[in-house]
Amino acid sequence: MRYLPKSPSEREEMLESIGVDSVEELFQSIPEKFRLRKPLDLPGPLSEMEIIQYFQARAGENARGYTSFLGAGVYQHVRSVVADAIIQRGEFLTSYTPYQAEISQGTLTAIFEFQTLMCQLTGQEVANASMYDGSTALTEAVLMAERLTGKHRVLVARSVHPEYRQVLATYAKNVGLEVEEIGYTKSGQIDTEALSKAKLGEAAAIVVQSPNFFGVIEELPALAEAAHAAGALLVTTIAEAASLGIVRPPVEADIVAMEGQSFGIPPSYGGPYVGVIATREKFVRQMPGRLAGQTTDGAGRRGFVLTLATREQHIRREKATSNICTNEALYALAATIHLCLIGKEGLRELALQNLAKARFAAAELTKIPGVRRVFSGRVFNEFVLEFPRSVKLINAALLREKIIGPLPLGLHYPELTKRGLVCVTETMPRAEIERLASATKRILETPL
Amino acid sequence: MYPADYRYTKDHEWIKVEGSVGTIGITDYAQSELGDVVFAELPKVGVTMKAGESFGTIESVKAVSEIFTPVSGEITEINSKLVDTPEIINKDPHGSAWLVKIRLSDPKELSALMDAAAYETYIAAQAKEH
Amino acid sequence: MNSKLTEVETAAPTIRKAGRQVNQNEGLIFEKSAPGKRGMELPPLDVPAIDPVEALGAGNSRDSIEGFPEVSEIEVIRHFTRISTWNYAIDLGMYPLGSCTMKYNPRVNEHVARLDGLASEHPAQPAEVSQGCLRILYDLQKCLLEVTGMDAATLQPVAGAQGELTGLLMIRAYLQSQGNARKKVLIPDSAHGTNPASVVIAGYEVQNIKSNARGQIDTDHLREFATEDVAALMVTNPSTIGVFEERIAEIAAILHERGALLYMDGANMNALAGVTRPGDFGVDVMHLNLHKTFSTPHGGGGPGAGPVLAKKILEPFLPVPVVVEKNGRYALDGNRPQSVGRVRAYCGNFGVLLRALAYTLAYGPGIRQATEDAVLNANYIRKNLEESFDLPYNLPSMHEVVFSDARQKKQGVNTMDIAKRLIDYGFHPYTTAFPLIVPGAMMIEPTESESKEECDLFIDAMRSIAIEAETNPELVKTAPHSTRVGRLDEVAAARKPILRWKP
C-alpha cells in the first residue's frame, strides 16, 4: 500500500527485534471475542486514479456551471490561486499546532498577522487565532458575554442568521442561558422599541448581525449606547466579512464574532471556514481560542508563542473558557494571504464593486411587475425582494435554466413567504444579472 | 524563612492578623512550585467569603493555582501592585506581594491553622513525596 | 544514578539526521508594506459605479484601513514561503506526538477537495443539484459506521471537542427522554483536557475517577462512583498511556446496569481500525478525529472534523440535519423532533469530510494493515528505548508508548529538556505535558507512516540524548541549539501580552 513505507522483510525484522512471531501477538490485550476475524466491509482499495474518478463523478452531480444568487452566510468572491498554492506547501499543510514554538515560527508568525488583520478590519483591540466558523464564534461570544457580566440572559435579533441562532440555542439550553428574540422593523433592522421594553438591565448582551441576514446594516453606535447604559454588552456578528472593506467597522461593539469565509475561502458545501472573535483588550482573559503573542528569545530575537494558555482546556480543564482545541488554522492562513494580496485598496475596491452590483441587480429586478424591495434599510451586497408568487416555484423554473435563484425566506421566517434573499457579488457578470431578471420576468408572465 | 507571627494553611496560604484585619498571601513554597507568576485574579472589595472558599487564582505560564481563604470575612483591600507586577509574588511572597486584606468575622478560625514550625514540618514532608 | 549503560548506549552520539534550519531573516508583512503596491487586481466593473456615502448613508462608510498591507504578489509569495521554512512538518519527518496521530496527509485528497463542482458548491443550494455532495457525505457515513460498529452518524461537528459536546448532548437528550437527565459525567484522571471542558458546556458536573496502578479504570471505584446521578463515563480506549482497557466489557456492563452510557473519545482509534470495533465492546456513542485517524491535514491547528457515531437508541437525538438516502436520492432531513439541535451552521466541514472519504477509499478493507503497522512501530520503538528510559506502566502498548523522565530527572534533566534536544536531532518533540497521571511524561506515537529507517533514526536520537543527560546534562537543558530562535520567553509573553502588530 503506497502510504505504508515498509517492506515485508522490514516488518519481519521489527517483529524479531520486539521478540514476537507475528503482529497478532501485539493485539493480545484486546479480549479475543472483540477481535475481528474478517476484514471490514468497506469500498476499495482504490488507486489514485480511481479515487479521482470517483470524486470527478460526484463533482458532475452538483451545480457545476450554474449561476448562483445565494449568499446567506456563504459568499462567492474572487480568490487568488496564490493563497491556495501557499497553503498546500507541506510546511503549512502538514504541520501541527505550534506548541513547540522554536520549530513553528512559520505558523505563529502567520497567526500573529491574522490577529492583526482581524483587529484592523473590525476596529477591535485583540483578535484570536480562529474559531470554527461564524455560527460557533457567535455562540462562544455570547457565552463570553455571560461570563463577563454574570448575567444569564441575552437578547438576540431575529435578523441574525437563522442557523447561527440555532447553534446558539443548542449550546444555551444546557447551561441555563435564556435567549429572548427581538423582532425587526420595516427597515429590516432590529426593533429598538421592543428592545427598550425587554429589560436590558437583566441581559448580558444585545446580539445583532450587521449586515444582517436580510442584508441590512444595523445602527451599531445607538445599540451600543443602549446596551452600555443598561450594563449590558453589545455582541455583533458579521457573516459577510467583505463588507468591512467599505462599511464602518463595529468599533462600539464589545465582542465581534465574524465569519471569514469571504476572504479567499471556497464555499465547499459548508466548510471548512474560519470564525474569529475580536474584542477589547480588557476582556482578553475571557476570550476562548488560541492567541499568538510576540516575545523574544535569550538572544533578543523576536519570535512568537502561543500565550495566555491558562484560559484553555489543556490547562484549565473544566474551568476553561471553552472546550475548543483544534480550530481552523490553515484557513486563517488562507484568509491572511488573501487579505495581503488584495491589500488596502483592493479590499475597498472589491467592496465598492459589491455595492454597485447589488444596486444594479435590485434596480433590474424591481423593474419586473410585482417585484418589490422589502426593507428600507441600507444594504451591502444582499437584499430581500417580494415576489408575486412562491419563491420556491420561481426557483424551480430558474433551475431549469441553470440559475440558482434567491433564498426563499419562508422556511426560516414564516411571516416572510414569497420573499427571497438575493446576493450579488463582484464575481457576478452583468449579463448574468440581466439573465436572471429576464428569466424571472418571463417565468412570472407564465401562468401557474 | 516563614514568619513566626503568620499562620499557614495546607494549601499554602499565609495570614497575618492585626486586630480584626487579616492580610493574606501565598507562601514561598507555593510560589516556587508555581514558577514564574504571570497573573493574579483577585476578588472585588466588599465580597464576603467563608473559610476554605476559593477567592481567586494565580497563574504561571502553564498552570493555574486556586487560592483559598484561611478565614471567613469581608474583603477590604486588594493589592493593586499585582496588576502591573505580578512577579513580586515570586520575589517577595510574604511581604509586598500580599494578595488581599480581609475583615475577620470569626477569629476563632485561626486556631485551626498551622504555625510556622508546623508549616515547615508539613512542607518538608510534601517535598519528600515528590 | 543509572551507571549501567551498555556499550551501545555509551557510543559517541552522532547527529545523523538534522542540519541547521534555514536562517532566513523575514519580518512581518506589515513591515514590507508601502502605499500604492498591490497583489491582486479585479476585473473592471461592468455596471454603473456607486458612491459609498450615497449608498450607505453618511457615517456608515469607512476610509481605507490604516496599516492594512500594501504589497505585491511576489512579496506575498516570498514572505509566506520564507516563513514556511521555519516550520517542522509531517512532510519533513516524524512527529512522535502521542494521541495526535500525525500520519501522512495524502496529496490526492487535496486534489479532489479542490475540484470544480465540489469546492464551488453552496451549502444552501437545492438538494437536486447537490446529489454529488450529499452522496459523499452518505458514503463517508457508511464507512465510519462500519469501522466503528455503530448504527447512526452525524458529520456535523467540526472538531473532536465539538464531537464530545455533541455526544454528551445526545446522552443528555436520551436520558431526559427516559425521565431524568442526571447530573454528572465520570472522567478518568488520564483524560485529555477537552473532555472535562466539554462536560461543563453540556451542563453536567465533572466527577474525576482515578486510574488504578495499571493506568486503567479502576472498576471497583467505578462501581462506587457510578451512582444514579451519573449520566455517562467518558473513556479513551486505548487509554492515553496507549494501553487497551482490558476490562472494557465490564466497564460497559457496570454503566448499563445503572442506566448510564459509555462515551468513547476516539482520539486513539488508530490502534483499533480494522482490528476491533467500539460498537462491539459496549460503547454507546463516540467521536472520531478525522484529522488524526483519517489523515486529514492538521494545517497548523485545524481544520478538523469530529463526527459522532452512536447506537440505535441515540439516533433520534442526532443533530440536524441528518443525511439520508431513499431510492438512490440523497437529502438533508431536518424533520427530527427529538434532535439536540444544530451544532454548526450547514452540515459540517465538508472539505475535511471529503478528504477522509478519499483516505478510506484508498485503503478499503486493507485499513487493518495501517493499524498493524502503527502498533508495530510503537512497539519497536518501545522495545528499543526500554533500556534508556523509565517505563511507568509495564503493560502491552498499542499504537503509543509512554515513558517518563524519572531516570534523567536525577541529573536535573526533565521531559521538556529531552523534547527540546530532540529538535536538534531533526525531530519534532513527543507529547510532554500529558497524560497527567504520569509525572514527566514522554508520550510517543509514531503512526504507520514511519518507515523502519525513520524509527531507527528516532531511536538513535533518543538513546543519544539519554547518554547526554548523563554525560552532559547542560547541553540537554539548554536545547535546542540548532533552531532559528532559541527557547522563547513565555513568561514575558503572558505578563505583557502583545497580540498584534502596531504601526
Side-chain angles (χ1 to χ4, degrees), chain C residues 50-124:
Chain C
I50 203 172
D51 170 20
V53 172
E54 190 258 303
L56 298 172
N60 266 345
S61 69
R62 82 189 299 175
D63 296 323
S64 299
I65 304 172
E66 202 203 309
F68 211 74
E70 292 183 273
V71 288
S72 61
E73 183 176 324
I74 171 106
E75 287 169 297
V76 171
I77 288 265
R78 284 213 176 129
H79 173 70
F80 289 98
T81 301
R82 285 175 183 161
I83 69 174
S84 78
T85 63
W86 300 341
N87 270 5
Y88 191 82
I90 296 174
D91 280 4
L92 288 169
M94 186 199 304
Y95 273 87
L97 287 167
S99 276
C100 287
T101 312
M102 295 297 284
K103 65 172 72 181
Y104 172 58
N105 309 136
R107 280 319 190 276
V108 65
N109 302 358
E110 295 309 305
H111 177 85
V112 295
R114 289 169 163 82
L115 291 174
D116 183 27
L118 292 178
S120 48
E121 305 310 284
H122 192 291

Side-chain angles (χ1 to χ4, degrees), chain B residues 35-113:
Chain B
D36 290 302
V37 173
V38 304
F39 185 73
E41 191 183 339
L42 298 172
K44 291 200 170 64
V45 168
V47 165
T48 48
M49 316 238 47
K50 282 218 300 277
E53 251 184 272
S54 162
F55 69 88
T57 58
I58 299 185
E59 295 177 22
S60 63
V61 170
K62 297 254 194 285
V64 182
S65 225
E66 268 188 284
I67 21 176
F68 303 95
T69 173
V71 296
S72 312
E74 186 191 318
I75 307 284
T76 56
E77 215 183 316
I78 60 174
N79 188 349
S80 56
K81 280 211 204 76
L82 297 175
V83 175
D84 282 325
T85 49
E87 54 268 31
I88 60 176
I89 292 177
N90 296 114
K91 298 197 188 118
D92 189 15
H94 298 157
S96 61
W98 58 272
L99 303 172
V100 297
K101 292 198 204 258
I102 187 167
R103 189 188 322 280
L104 278 72
S105 57
D106 186 5
K108 289 203 261 8
E109 288 170 336
L110 291 168
S111 57
L113 305 174

Side-chain angles (χ1 to χ4, degrees), chain C residues 149-173:
Chain C
M150 296 294 201
D151 306 316
T154 174
L155 302 175
Q156 202 180 70
V158 294
Q162 221 199 16
E164 288 167 23
L165 177 65
T166 303
L168 289 167
L169 294 182
M170 288 168 63
I171 289 172
R172 170 183 276 279

Side-chain angles (χ1 to χ4, degrees), chain A residues 46-96:
Chain A
L46 299 185
S47 64
E48 182 181 293
M49 191 181 84
E50 291 166 303
I51 291 172
I52 294 174
Q53 282 167 351
Y54 170 91
F55 285 97
Q56 288 281 19
R58 301 293 78 73
E61 293 160 356
N62 295 322
R64 195 165 53 192
Y66 282 57
T67 297
S68 167
F69 289 88
L70 291 175
V74 177
Y75 303 93
Q76 302 271 11
H77 285 294
V78 296
R79 291 197 309 275
S80 166
V81 299
V82 170
D84 211 32
I86 294 171
I87 67 170
Q88 287 191 82
R89 285 184 70 87
E91 299 93 331
F92 282 129
L93 184 75
T94 73
S95 65
Y96 182 61

Side-chain angles (χ1 to χ4, degrees), chain A residues 115-184:
Chain A
Q115 287 169 190
T116 305
L117 291 167
M118 294 303 113
C119 288
Q120 291 174 326
L121 285 164
T122 60
Q124 294 287 325
E125 292 168 340
V126 300
N128 71 7
S130 78
M131 305 297 290
Y132 305 138
D133 78 325
S135 69
T136 53
L138 177 61
T139 299
E140 295 263 18
V142 167
L143 294 175
M144 185 176 154
E146 192 191 8
R147 286 193 297 275
L148 285 167
T149 58
K151 298 181 193 168
H152 307 290
R153 191 162 154 266
V154 285
L155 306 167
V156 179
R158 275 190 77 220
S159 49
V160 169
H161 194 305
E163 297 196 6
Y164 287 28
R165 284 183 284 128
Q166 285 167 17
V167 173
L168 175 60
T170 303
Y171 279 67
K173 67 176 184 269
N174 303 292
V175 294
L177 177 65
E178 196 192 316
V179 178
E180 187 181 323
E181 290 196 336
I182 307 286
Y184 51 87

